[in-house]
Amino acid sequence: MACGAGRDEEEMHMIKAIVSGHSRGLGAALADELLARGIAVLGLARHANPALAARHPGRLQEAALDLADPAALAAWLDGPALRDWLADAGTALLVNNAGTLQPMGPPALQDPAAVARAVALNVAAPLMLSAALCAAAPASCIRRVLHVSSGAARKPYPGWSVYCATKAALDHHARAVAADDVAGLRICSLAPGVLDTGMQAEIRATSLARFPLRDRFAEMQRSGGLVAPEEAAMHLVDYLLDDGFGAEPVADLRELTG
């Protein structure tokens, strides 16, 4: 996989990125990696990331949004912020990273309100942002959409029915958008592997009644089998900037990096 680092600095200033869930975990690492390459980032999350803003003064813009609230997101998208952000972009990147594992457990243990929130955050928000990006970007702008998917989209896990279903929705959305064959638009739903983030800590803190495979993931952490989010972010951004991005609408980062 070729790296996008060969682009000169002037071209990088024409690239604008939007990263959801940039306040922590993989989202923070992705935003940091993009910013370090000279790409301005608009971060969307409930909470700001002051450390990231301090490391990259003037390059990070943030919008405080609860992406699990479709009405709030729709209201923000109806405003001028996204169109203004993209007004001078030659390439617009959207990284749909924000997501939740909850609710975990078999259906009888799932809070219906938590199911609705998960579907809103994991599915509605990425699809809304994708549609808004395509409409708001200048007509001549190249658009690239990256859904952060999961192996759980492609393999069922007990206790993760909501998470599996919502990530599978992103995979199929990418397949269908790719079938639209829109000029200047590429999309990929990409599984990044098992990362050492707060989500893994959440898994290890879950009861076996809600996630029977908990101990398998705990052993991965003990044996050093988790990938640092910074390492995954580097490879994800390499791929996002690569000429081959979106050749397959559904992919796995581990296969791309060999």
Side-chain angles (χ1 to χ4, degrees), residues 68-132:
D69 183 342
L73 177 56
W76 183 81
L77 291 172
D78 281 341
L82 183 61
R83 193 172 296 275
D84 288 350
W85 176 253
L86 296 172
D88 60 349
T91 297
L93 311 174
L94 171 61
V95 182
N96 286 312
N97 161 77
T100 181
L101 268 172
Q102 299 297 338
M104 285 190 271
L109 297 182
Q110 296 170 5
D111 176 11
V115 173
R117 186 172 178 84
V119 173
L121 178 58
N122 291 3
V123 183
L127 271 56
M128 291 168 71
L129 288 167
S130 300

Side-chain angles (χ1 to χ4, degrees), residues 136-234:
S140 60
C141 184
I142 296 168
R143 290 147 293 167
R144 295 188 173 193
V145 176
L146 173 64
H147 294 327
V148 176
S149 184
S150 168
R154 301 147 206 181
K155 176 183 176 181
Y157 285 83
W160 280 7
S161 59
V162 174
Y163 185 68
C164 289
T166 54
K167 289 300 184 180
L170 294 185
D171 283 7
H172 215 46
H173 176 260
R175 293 185 185 102
V177 170
D180 287 333
D181 197 23
V182 176
L185 172 63
R186 296 187 186 185
I187 188 168
C188 183
S189 189
L190 185 65
V194 186
L195 310 184
D196 192 8
T197 64
M199 189 173 281
Q200 286 298 313
E202 188 178 353
I203 290 169
R204 294 192 296 272
T206 301
S207 70
L208 287 172
R210 289 190 178 271
F211 186 51
L213 300 182
R214 180 196 67 191
D215 291 346
R216 180 191 300 180
F217 283 80
E219 177 55 32
M220 290 180 69
Q221 190 266 342
R222 285 192 295 269
S223 64
L226 303 180
V227 177
E230 294 79 11
E231 179 182 347
M234 178 184 68

